[in-house]
Amino acid sequence: VQLELGTFPSSAIATAASSVARSADVITLATSALPWSATVGTLVFEGHTPLGSGTQVLWQCDDGTENERIRLVRNSSNEIRLFVTDGGVEQITSGLNLGTVANDTAFKAAISWAANGFVGSLNGATAVTDTSGTLPTVTTMRLGSSFTGEQSFAHCKRLMYLPLDKMAEQGQRTNAT
């Protein structure tokens, strides 16, 4: 029996007669396996926050370095933030703050990016924007972790990526490219 104290069960750990250390439940996929767009994108992450605090990377796309990446993070203040790094430079100062989500809580975050246009909304609230910045060149999409080992242990109910700027199409952004 796998008995865990938490808001949802983790994946099973196959064992024989001894205990086994849990490895992180993370998913990685090459962006070349997707209809990835280098110029625009929209992501919807629907899930449930874990217990505990600290940096929790919910979703990230990167090139295997910290210099080129887009990431959705829940920080130690329980804020969901969008960060974009291009050429080693943060494109959104302190990240785009979508709002806070308490431990053990269901939430949905929608983010969209284009050059000089970053938009996000948490649980359907009014969108927050940043209208300046460039986009990184990324090769790998990660769910639940960063390449440096930051993990979220959040429950992801649904993840949807579109190679489109859906926020601009819906009138959330006026400076779409």
Side-chain angles (χ1 to χ4, degrees):
V1 173
Q2 183 174 340
L3 179 59
E4 298 177 89
L5 180 60
T7 57
F8 54 87
S10 61
S11 59
I13 304 172
T15 63
S18 61
S19 62
V20 176
R22 169 168 296 286
S23 297
D25 289 329
V26 296
I27 297 171
T28 60
L29 181 66
T31 55
S32 61
L34 301 166
W36 185 262
S37 170
T39 58
V40 296
T42 297
L43 182 95
V44 177
F45 184 103
E46 183 178 357
H48 201 272
T49 57
L51 299 173
S53 63
T55 301
Q56 301 165 350
V57 177
L58 304 170
W59 172 87
Q60 176 170 304
C61 273
D62 61 64
D63 71 344
T65 73
E66 294 183 28
N67 294 330
E68 302 286 316
R69 59 187 178 162
I70 304 169
R71 61 201 182 283
L72 187 63
V73 174
R74 180 173 178 246
N75 67 16
S76 59
S77 298
N78 296 337
E79 298 165 334
I80 305 290
R81 290 185 176 260
L82 168 64
F83 291 93
V84 178
T85 308
D86 185 27
V89 177
E90 288 296 333
Q91 300 300 303
I92 307 168
T93 305
S94 300
L96 194 61
N97 186 352
L98 308 184
T100 60
V101 180
N103 285 344
D104 192 17
T105 303
F107 73 99
K108 185 187 291 186
I111 57 175
S112 191
W113 58 89
N116 297 319
F118 305 101
V119 180
S121 175
L122 180 63
N123 295 324
T126 301
V128 291
T129 63
D130 187 294
T131 58
S132 130
T134 57
L135 296 175
T137 301
V138 298
T139 57
T140 305
M141 181 184 289
R142 303 172 197 276
L143 179 60
S145 74
S146 70
F147 76 94
T148 60
E150 299 163 312
Q151 300 170 12
S152 69
F153 203 66
H155 172 76
C156 180
K157 179 179 178 181
R158 184 176 297 128
L159 180 75
M160 180 175 59
Y161 162 76
L162 299 168
L164 308 166
D165 188 351
K166 293 305 284 183
M167 299 294 227
E169 289 179 17
Q170 296 174 1
Q172 297 288 334
R173 177 192 343 226
T174 57
N175 65 328
T177 55

